[in-house]
C-alpha cells in the first residue's frame, strides 16, 4: 500500500500538466502535501514516512516524479526541495497524531499539523536556499518568503481538512492500517 502513496504523490506533483493554470508565479500548486498527509494518516507514522522517503529517493535517483516532471540529485539544491524533504516529516507527524486517538477531530488536527510542518520546514528551506545558494530576487526578505506561501495556503488548508475527513471515512470502512495505541493488533 505504501507504493500506492508514492505513485499518488508523483501524480499530485504533476497535476499542473493537466491543469497548467495551477502554476502561480512560476510555482506549481500541487497535491503532494495532500497525499503526504494521507500517507501518514492511512498507513501510520512509520510506513507513511517510509513511503514519502521512497518518493524522495526515486526522484533524486532521476525518476521524473517531482513537480513539472523533474528529478535527479540536482533537486537538492532547488529552493523547493525542503517541501519534498518535509513530506517525510508530514507523514510521520500526521500518522503519530492519529495513532494516539482515532476520532474525526484527531484526523483533521493531524492533517492540519502535518500541513503546518510542511510550510514551516519548506518555507525555511526556500528562504535559506535563496539567501545562501541562489540569487535572491531584489528586495527578498524572510517575510516575503512567507508572503509567497499565502497563495497556496487556502488550497492546502481546505485539502488538509478534506484529507482528515477522507481518512476518517476510510478508517470507518476498515481500510486504513493505523491503530489506536490502546488497541491490540488482532490480525
Amino acid at each position: 500500500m505504501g507504493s500506492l502513496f508514492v505513485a499518488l504523490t508523483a501524480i499530485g506533483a504533476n497535476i499542473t500538466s493537466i491543469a497548467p493554470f495551477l502554476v502561480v508565479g512560476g510555482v506549481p500548486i500541487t497535491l503532494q502535501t495532500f497525499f503526504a498527509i494521507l500517507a501518514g494518516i492511512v498507513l501510520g507514522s512509520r510506513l507513511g514516512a517510509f513511503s514519502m522517503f521512497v518518493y524522495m529517493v526515486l526522484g533524486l535517483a532521476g525518476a521524473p516524479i517531482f513537480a513539472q516532471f523533474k528529478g535527479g540529485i540536482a533537486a537538492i539544491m532547488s529552493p523547493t526541495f525542503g517541501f519534498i524533504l518535509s513530506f517525510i516529516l508530514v507523514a510521520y507527524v500526521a500518522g503519530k497524531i492519529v495513532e494516539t486517538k482515532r476520532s474525526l477531530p484527531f484526523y483533521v488536527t493531524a492533517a492540519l499539523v502535518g500541513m503546518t510542518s510542511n510550510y514551516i520546514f519548506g518555507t525555511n528551506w526556500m528562504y535559506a536556499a535563496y539567501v545562501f545558494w541562489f540569487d535572491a530576487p531584489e528586495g527578498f526578505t524572510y517575510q516575503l518568503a512567507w508572503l509567497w506561501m499565502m497563495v497556496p495556503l487556502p488550497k492546502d488548508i481546505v485539502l488538509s481538512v478534506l484529507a482528515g475527513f477522507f481518512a476518517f471515512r476510510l478508517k470507518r470502512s476498515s481500510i486504513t492500517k493505523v491503530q489506536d495505541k490502546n488497541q491490540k493488533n488482532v490480525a
Side-chain angles (χ1 to χ4, degrees):
M1 191 127 162
S3 59
L4 174 65
F5 282 96
V6 173
L8 288 172
T9 306
I11 292 166
N14 291 295
I15 196 74
T16 56
S17 65
I18 300 167
F21 59 87
L22 290 175
V23 177
V24 178
V27 176
I29 306 300
T30 69
L31 299 176
Q32 292 164 294
T33 305
F34 174 77
F35 289 119
I37 290 167
L38 274 179
I41 294 175
V42 172
L43 300 176
S45 59
R46 291 184 300 179
L47 186 55
F50 183 71
S51 68
M52 292 300 100
F53 173 77
V54 169
Y55 168 76
M56 180 188 72
V57 169
L58 282 173
L60 290 175
I65 59 174
F66 295 152
Q68 299 174 329
F69 295 104
K70 293 181 181 174
I73 197 74
I76 291 175
M77 299 307 288
S78 166
T80 58
F81 183 72
F83 293 100
I84 294 168
L85 190 58
S86 78
F87 298 150
I88 300 165
L89 177 66
V90 167
Y92 185 80
V93 167
K96 270 299 183 197
I97 292 171
V98 168
E99 288 167 5
T100 61
K101 187 169 183 182
R102 292 173 32 181
S103 67
L104 181 58
F106 272 77
Y107 274 72
V108 172
T109 299
L112 290 169
V113 169
M115 181 211 68
T116 302
S117 64
N118 173 257
Y119 269 67
I120 291 170
F121 193 93
T123 304
N124 283 308
W125 180 287
M126 181 177 64
Y127 175 75
Y130 275 119
V131 169
F132 296 116
W133 59 83
F134 269 93
D135 287 332
E138 184 70 33
F140 183 73
T141 63
Y142 187 67
Q143 291 79 12
L144 183 59
W146 278 100
L147 188 60
W148 288 352
M149 297 311 299
M150 294 303 110
V151 173
L153 181 62
K155 178 251 334 166
D156 283 333
I157 290 172
V158 169
L159 286 177
S160 295
V161 170
L162 289 175
F165 275 98
F166 182 66
F168 183 74
R169 294 284 299 175
L170 288 175
K171 182 215 51 127
R172 293 192 49 134
S173 301
S174 300
I175 294 175
T176 64
K177 298 220 179 252
V178 177
Q179 293 190 356
D180 289 329
K181 285 187 174 194
N182 302 331
Q183 181 183 10
K184 293 184 179 180
N185 190 356
V186 187

